[in-house]
Amino acid sequence: MTHDLDHTHDAGLRSWVPGADDHPDFPIQNLPLGIVSPDGGVPRAGVAIGRHILDLPALLATNLLSGEAAAAVEAVGETLNPLLALGAGPRRALRRDLSALLREGQAERRTIEPLLHEAAACRLHLPAAIGDYTDFYVGIHHAENIGRQFRPDNPLLPNYKHVPIGYHGRASSIRPSGAPVRRPSGQTKGPDADTIHFGPSQRLDYELELGVWVGPGNALGEPIAIGEAEAHIAGYCLLNDWSARDIQSWEYQPLGPFLSKNFVTTISPWIVTPEALLPFRIPQPPRPQGDPKPLAYLTDEADQRGGAFDLRLDVFLLTPGLREAGLPPHRVAVSNTRSMYWTAAQMLAHHASGGCNLRPGDLLGTGTISGPERDACGSLIEATLGGREPLQLASGEERRFLEDGDEVLLQAHGVREGFASIGFGECRGVIVGASG
Amino acid sequence: MTHDLDHTHDAGLRSWVPGADDHPDFPIQNLPLGIVSPDGGVPRAGVAIGRHILDLPALLATNLLSGEAAAAVEAVGETLNPLLALGAGPRRALRRDLSALLREGQAERRTIEPLLHEAAACRLHLPAAIGDYTDFYVGIHHAENIGRQFRPDNPLLPNYKHVPIGYHGRASSIRPSGAPVRRPSGQTKGPDADTIHFGPSQRLDYELELGVWVGPGNALGEPIAIGEAEAHIAGYCLLNDWSARDIQSWEYQPLGPFLSKNFVTTISPWIVTPEALLPFRIPQPPRPQGDPKPLAYLTDEADQRGGAFDLRLDVFLLTPGLREAGLPPHRVAVSNTRSMYWTAAQMLAHHASGGCNLRPGDLLGTGTISGPERDACGSLIEATLGGREPLQLASGEERRFLEDGDEVLLQAHGVREGFASIGFGECRGVIVGASG
């Protein structure tokens, strides 16, 4: 890490914005960036603070932002891509200014207060126009769990511990939290069925992932060295890689998943910055005895020392039965980003290692992050062993896979003694029935 | 087909533009659309006619275009996306007007002539901003040939004749003809080697494909019926899916090709319209005895009657040795789009069948189109049987895979008795050495 903790991370820091200090996701130590339409207005940049969103173009007009921070906001239009392209300097300057302006005792409070919108009255958009979306497979427990079901003899393929496996996903169908998730129809073939069938997926699933936003990026043909990779990461989000398992198992050979994954992908709409996540950096967990060392192009001393994250990940399921009975969402899993076999920097350096160009606003998914335990599984196909052992819900319902009306909510939180806890905000979606 | 041959297809039609009637690609019966910078100027829309390019914004300013045709050109900025979004009506109106304006005997010739640029003095750009790029695998002889090398026991997987297999590719690294092709470095593992190596690919290859430009497209969650699919195809191009075979064989399981394909993809920069290709439409070749019938969502009577193409495809290789000896490029293969197992309409309808949204300017590749014979192979890995039987060139050189300095040129032509022959223009790229 080339950047250190500073006063913006102080646990004792308090904000004058009502409710911000007790907010589970967005205290003053977080300050994530997004694109919002307040009360149906034109999309513009905003920063989340408690239950409010500070209007950044309006703040810019007050002249309270300093040079580099002002330049960062000036660059932005209806997407954050131009800000992501600027890299760490302007982003950090903006964080420092915002932290000072929203802090308790700030003399300009009366000027800034009218620029706050109630988050509940805002529409949240995708924060950036996503040029290309790539999904990785770095959750090793997930790779083992799902590999066992698709390839019982060969759960973890020989390349897994050498190559940060990834593949291209669909950018057009990425939607912000809250967008409906229409059940896809597709071709399926039962393991014993001779006839091929086209119809609504019967094995609809979610996948718990982290998203990584690309910053400046590289020119075609010019790889990014592992030591430079962090400088090209502009932030993080939650990502639900909704998956139709029955379509997937029939279509995925030899070129990988396609229609089983591209019907919609949901992300949390706030870009949580690398600065906000600094307190939750940890060394790369040691590789199990006997695992190969990563090749040189994936090895960096700073990345080994602090390139991983300790973030708690939660998956909740709210079914029509739970909703009707007034019961709370069922917590399906608690996982942690410690289970990533490769760091975000390794994913990014690998992606560019053959010369592929990454552009500001490109999105990388980590792949499903499961822990080794049954209650740490980031997808239903793992948690129910392929549907053989359904979840039992307090409503008396069972779930092997998702049914229409089911809602899935992903959460991520950084929690560390001596620091304020922060969260990523919501990543949720409700399943709606297949189209006619 | 909902559109019929008209006078713009007449073989006897001649143009007043010098050399157009004898041009192998761009006689007046073709009129493909592109984005060009004449003499380093701002990118703008143009139409190819012989060795010239007609400047469309300049033509618009003359008021010689009629209502719908004028609207089509008015929509365009520095990309053709807005024109593609308009669908067939304005595109056909533009073709009719252009055909009339460029025809021998046209009274306005003196007005139009100054709006022609020498193509040799123009820079050709990508014709559209490509939101998402998807590559299919519909060349059945290629699938068999390459399947035999990667999976000797299982060349054609059980899904192949049911599912138009496709996967997501990388949009950011698509370049127009002429852009250099930098040899990628990547992880490789020899079949007998225990050590994994990172370095320049030793098995660099090309793939001969057709590209399909998406027109209006669909909203997320709203599939496109097979009978409507043609209305969403705005045109065609050539596509070279450069492939690093050694990287591919090590990385591709279980999620498909990634870095082995995303270092660059070359396309011919002209959008050849469905109208121009009408004379070369043919019925879908009958499926071999015993092959399954496509499912209903992939079956359309008009598509069966005329959804395939008879286009001759050529691959040429020009090596440093041939160049130095003053020898012509080596013709590696002659293939034909008749070898597509699925039509473009079937690819598109399948793509949207689960609800995935296609946007104007998205690009679909067909996958490599090989014929059954050795001299009809659309890639070197097929033509040389995985490098075991190298090509012998007139310069005395051998080629198992591509070497630095090699140039690959793809061509496509429609040739039919009673019609003018048309071509797609150039799709070429020269291999340059791996980066430091």
Side-chain angles (χ1 to χ4, degrees), chain B residues 205-416:
Chain B
D205 202 354
Y206 54 80
E207 291 196 338
L208 166 66
E209 305 194 11
L210 219 61
V212 181
W213 289 101
V214 174
N218 59 315
L220 186 65
E222 298 180 11
I224 295 172
I226 178 72
E228 301 299 319
E230 281 286 345
H232 294 276
I233 295 177
Y236 299 84
C237 64
L238 279 161
L239 187 151
N240 188 335
D241 178 25
W242 304 95
S243 299
R245 302 300 180 190
D246 40 2
I247 299 173
Q248 184 177 358
S249 61
W250 175 230
E251 75 168 0
Y252 91 105
Q253 285 189 315
L255 299 180
F258 180 43
L259 302 188
S260 55
K261 301 273 198 173
N262 71 7
F263 55 96
V264 72
T265 301
T266 304
I267 62 171
S268 58
W270 293 106
I271 298 185
V272 179
T273 64
E275 290 69 53
L277 291 174
L278 267 180
F280 314 103
R281 289 281 194 174
I282 54 170
Q284 282 195 47
R287 292 186 156 204
Q289 192 83 25
D291 279 12
K293 275 198 168 65
L295 290 180
Y297 80 102
L298 297 172
T299 304
D300 175 70
E301 201 272 323
D303 189 44
Q304 291 175 310
R305 205 172 53 231
F309 287 108
D310 177 10
L311 295 171
R312 174 188 162 127
L313 306 171
D314 285 274
V315 182
F316 294 94
L317 174 64
L318 183 60
T319 61
L322 288 168
R323 212 178 282 122
E324 279 161 31
L327 291 164
H330 179 82
R331 189 194 305 272
V332 189
V334 181
S335 183
N336 192 292
T337 48
R338 288 175 180 274
S339 292
M340 291 168 60
Y341 194 77
W342 302 96
T343 65
Q346 287 174 321
M347 288 160 48
L348 190 137
H350 179 68
H351 201 320
S353 65
C356 178
N357 56 322
L358 306 178
R359 296 177 294 189
D362 285 350
L363 184 64
L364 317 182
T366 55
T368 311
I369 304 176
S370 298
E373 311 84 10
R374 274 292 279 289
D375 58 1
C377 288
S379 69
L380 277 180
I381 194 173
E382 295 169 81
T384 68
L385 295 177
R388 290 197 305 280
E389 299 185 11
L391 300 184
Q392 306 295 336
L393 307 181
S395 52
E397 295 167 298
E398 283 189 350
R399 279 297 179 276
R400 298 167 197 275
F401 290 97
L402 297 171
E403 301 192 4
D404 294 349
D406 285 357
E407 179 170 27
V408 177
L409 170 65
L410 310 183
Q411 291 183 348
H413 288 96
V415 181
R416 182 178 158 198

Side-chain angles (χ1 to χ4, degrees), chain A residues 130-137 151 157-160 162-175 180 182-187 189 194 196-198 220-223 248 250-259 261-264 295 297-298 342 350-359 362 364 435, chain B residues 130-137 151 157-160 162-175 180 182-187 189 194 196-198 220-223 248 250-259 261-264 295 297-298 342 350-359 362 364 435:
Chain A
I130 301 167
D132 276 291
Y133 160 52
T134 303
D135 205 13
F136 283 83
Y137 197 52
R151 297 172 301 278
L157 292 166
N159 57 13
Y160 188 86
H162 298 274
V163 181
I165 295 290
Y167 71 114
H168 300 116
R170 182 80 191 176
S172 72
S173 54
I174 299 175
R175 291 292 179 275
R182 188 171 290 285
R183 179 183 300 274
S185 289
Q187 277 196 43
K189 176 181 182 295
D194 257 1
I196 314 301
H197 174 77
F198 182 89
L220 186 65
E222 297 180 10
Q248 185 177 357
W250 174 230
E251 75 169 1
Y252 91 105
Q253 284 188 315
L255 299 180
F258 179 42
L259 302 188
K261 301 272 197 174
N262 71 7
F263 55 96
V264 72
L295 291 181
Y297 81 102
L298 297 172
W342 302 97
H350 179 67
H351 202 321
S353 65
C356 179
N357 56 322
L358 306 178
R359 296 177 294 188
D362 284 350
L364 317 182
S435 58
Chain B
I130 301 167
D132 277 290
Y133 159 51
T134 303
D135 205 13
F136 283 82
Y137 197 52
R151 297 172 302 278
L157 292 166
N159 56 13
Y160 188 86
H162 298 274
V163 181
I165 295 290
Y167 71 114
H168 299 117
R170 181 81 190 176
S172 72
S173 53
I174 300 175
R175 291 292 179 274
R182 188 171 290 285
R183 180 183 300 275
S185 289
Q187 278 196 42
K189 177 181 182 295
D194 257 0
I196 314 301
H197 173 77
F198 182 88
L220 186 65
E222 298 180 11
Q248 184 177 358
W250 175 230
E251 75 168 0
Y252 91 105
Q253 285 189 315
L255 299 180
F258 180 43
L259 302 188
K261 301 273 198 173
N262 71 7
F263 55 96
V264 72
L295 290 180
Y297 80 102
L298 297 172
W342 302 96
H350 179 68
H351 201 320
S353 65
C356 178
N357 56 322
L358 306 178
R359 296 177 294 189
D362 285 350
L364 317 182
S435 58

Side-chain angles (χ1 to χ4, degrees), chain B residues 83-133:
Chain B
L83 190 156
L84 306 186
L86 294 175
R91 188 181 70 228
R92 289 175 188 161
L94 181 59
R95 174 180 173 85
R96 282 191 299 269
D97 278 16
L98 291 171
S99 179
L101 292 169
L102 294 169
R103 186 170 311 176
E104 218 173 44
Q106 165 61 247
E108 303 288 351
R109 171 175 175 173
R110 294 286 162 252
T111 308
I112 303 165
E113 210 156 13
L115 315 179
L116 291 172
H117 305 286
E118 289 277 352
C122 291
R123 180 162 168 217
L124 282 153
H125 303 276
L126 291 180
I130 301 167
D132 277 290
Y133 159 51

Side-chain angles (χ1 to χ4, degrees), chain B residues 51-111:
Chain B
R51 299 183 315 271
H52 292 83
I53 296 171
L54 178 59
D55 190 315
L56 286 177
L59 181 65
L60 181 67
T62 63
N63 291 319
L64 288 173
L65 292 173
S66 64
E68 251 195 322
V73 177
E74 261 160 25
V76 173
E78 295 198 8
T79 71
L80 292 178
N81 298 64
L83 190 156
L84 306 186
L86 294 175
R91 188 181 70 228
R92 289 175 188 161
L94 181 59
R95 174 180 173 85
R96 282 191 299 269
D97 278 16
L98 291 171
S99 179
L101 292 169
L102 294 169
R103 186 170 311 176
E104 218 173 44
Q106 165 61 247
E108 303 288 351
R109 171 175 175 173
R110 294 286 162 252
T111 308

Side-chain angles (χ1 to χ4, degrees), chain A residues 254-279:
Chain A
L255 299 180
F258 179 42
L259 302 188
S260 56
K261 301 272 197 174
N262 71 7
F263 55 96
V264 72
T265 300
T266 305
I267 62 171
S268 58
W270 293 106
I271 298 185
V272 179
T273 65
E275 290 71 54
L277 291 173
L278 267 180

